[in-house]
Amino acid sequence: MEEKIIKLSDTDIGDEVIIKEILSTGLNKQRLLDLGFVPDTTIFVLRDSPLGEPRAYFIRDTCIALRKEESEKIIVYKKQ
């Protein structure tokens, strides 16, 4: 099975992806880690808000909303 590496912001609604790497640094990276965005964790892309941003993700039994600028810093892979 081939794996496609993309940014979390480039995923589609309904995708299930696995975190590969967090590109943020400092407090932004720590915040994402505290929210559960840890490498090798599965994320399910739930939905966009009515205005398109933020987007809701289901991770570790929790729904978390991230803005596009935050989700661009998370590298994931999607099995094809």
Side-chain angles (χ1 to χ4, degrees), residues 18-68:
I18 299 172
I19 299 174
K20 178 174 172 48
E21 182 180 2
I22 308 266
L23 299 178
S24 291
T25 58
L27 291 176
N28 289 334
K29 182 173 186 172
Q30 188 60 51
R31 177 179 171 270
L32 290 171
L33 292 171
D34 290 345
L35 288 171
F37 289 87
V38 180
D40 296 324
T41 302
T42 300
I43 299 175
F44 184 75
V45 184
L46 287 177
R47 63 180 156 255
D48 286 329
S49 68
L51 297 177
E53 208 180 345
R55 180 179 268 187
Y57 301 97
F58 189 74
I59 180 170
R60 297 182 179 255
D61 296 326
T62 306
C63 181
I64 297 177
L66 292 180
R67 293 186 180 109
K68 186 173 182 176

Side-chain angles (χ1 to χ4, degrees), residues 6 8 11 15-19 41-43 45 76-78:
I6 56 174
L8 184 58
T11 56
D15 282 351
E16 192 169 340
V17 296
I18 299 172
I19 299 174
T41 302
T42 300
I43 299 175
V45 184
V76 298
Y77 60 90
K78 178 166 66 168

